[in-house]
Amino acid sequence: MAKKKEKKPAKKIEEKKTIEKKTTEKKTIEKKKLTVKKQLTEKKTIAKKEPEEDEFEEISDKELENFEIEGLDMEKLTANVRNIVTKSGDEGIFQSDLWKKMKLTSRDGSRLALKLERQNMIKREKVLENGRWTYKLKIAHAPVTTESIEAAPCLICPVESKCTLEGEISPRTCPLIEQWVITEFTNIKKPKK
């Protein structure tokens, strides 16, 4: 009987080793499958990926100057882009969002943005959004409107003809101008409804 007890534990130990070996092999195979799957996914992503925005930085000024999108009026397109970017205000608009609105490809949109930036119409600001680098477009020079001076007291001032910088009547000491500036500054800070 003593011999049977010795054989049983040895048999159990060997069975346990076999099970552990199979489990280890199974885990190794699973890891290999996951690695291969991950590599395939990465290859597909790389294949689908469009060129990085920075790749377009290498375009020459001449190429950008002559850049046109077939079938589109470039003057109208440029005006539309400037209007949309201007309306986005200080926040700006993501370059990708603008191209979606304009129904342009990323390639055409990026080249157009570079062209407008080099013409000092817009500014491109590189930002990190959701873990990816992208560009926010902002207007380079805000369009001037008459709204900024419509309420200026100088336009209806009865002594405007006598007003000089060094004179008795001067914009430096005028209480009407001071009040107008304070009012305009306060109105700018208030959110528009």
Side-chain angles (χ1 to χ4, degrees):
M1 279 194 188
K3 286 184 179 179
K4 283 185 184 178
K5 284 185 183 179
E6 287 177 353
K7 285 185 180 180
K8 266 191 178 179
K11 195 174 183 180
K12 282 186 180 182
I13 292 172
E14 204 158 310
E15 286 176 355
K16 192 175 181 182
K17 283 182 182 178
T18 306
I19 291 171
E20 286 176 358
K21 188 177 179 183
K22 285 181 182 181
T23 305
T24 305
E25 287 174 356
K26 226 179 193 181
K27 285 181 181 178
T28 305
I29 291 170
E30 289 296 320
K31 281 182 183 179
K32 284 181 181 178
K33 282 182 182 178
L34 284 174
T35 304
V36 170
K37 202 174 199 179
K38 186 178 178 184
Q39 288 172 342
L40 287 173
T41 304
E42 287 174 355
K43 283 181 183 177
K44 285 179 185 177
T45 303
I46 290 169
K48 287 182 182 179
K49 188 178 173 189
E50 289 191 36
E52 286 292 322
E53 307 282 356
D54 292 339
E55 290 178 32
F56 296 113
E57 299 285 340
E58 301 303 319
I59 299 168
S60 72
D61 287 337
K62 187 170 183 148
E63 284 179 281
L64 277 179
E65 190 177 311
N66 297 326
F67 170 70
E68 290 197 7
I69 301 170
E70 194 174 319
L72 293 177
D73 180 348
M74 291 303 284
E75 283 186 34
K76 274 187 178 178
L77 182 64
T78 299
N80 286 341
V81 168
R82 288 188 66 200
N83 286 337
I84 292 170
V85 174
T86 300
K87 286 178 184 173
S88 70
D90 292 336
E91 278 295 305
I93 184 170
F94 285 110
Q95 185 168 285
S96 56
D97 292 343
L98 181 64
W99 308 145
K100 288 173 189 170
K101 276 186 179 183
M102 302 296 294
K103 296 184 175 136
L104 296 173
T105 65
S106 175
R107 182 179 189 271
D108 287 343
S110 296
R111 288 176 183 246
L112 181 59
L114 276 169
K115 181 177 182 174
L116 296 178
E117 180 181 44
R118 289 187 186 170
Q119 292 174 345
N120 285 327
M121 291 185 190
I122 64 171
K123 293 184 283 186
R124 292 181 331 132
E125 185 178 292
K126 196 170 186 176
V127 295
L128 187 61
E129 178 69 17
N130 295 328
R132 283 189 76 208
W133 285 104
T134 186
Y135 287 96
K136 253 196 177 179
L137 306 179
K138 297 181 179 184
I139 198 72
H141 306 285
V144 178
T145 65
T146 57
E147 288 177 19
S148 62
I149 61 165
E150 283 176 352
C154 302
L155 298 174
I156 56 169
C157 182
V159 291
E160 183 266 332
S161 61
K162 297 177 184 175
C163 187
T164 63
L165 284 177
E166 304 302 326
E168 190 177 318
I169 299 170
S170 169
R172 292 181 178 161
T173 59
C174 179
L176 296 174
I177 290 178
E178 183 180 343
Q179 186 56 49
W180 171 66
V181 169
I182 291 169
T183 303
E184 287 298 308
F185 185 72
T186 306
N187 288 341
I188 289 170
K189 284 196 163 196
K190 288 181 186 174
K192 294 181 181 179
K193 293 181 182 178

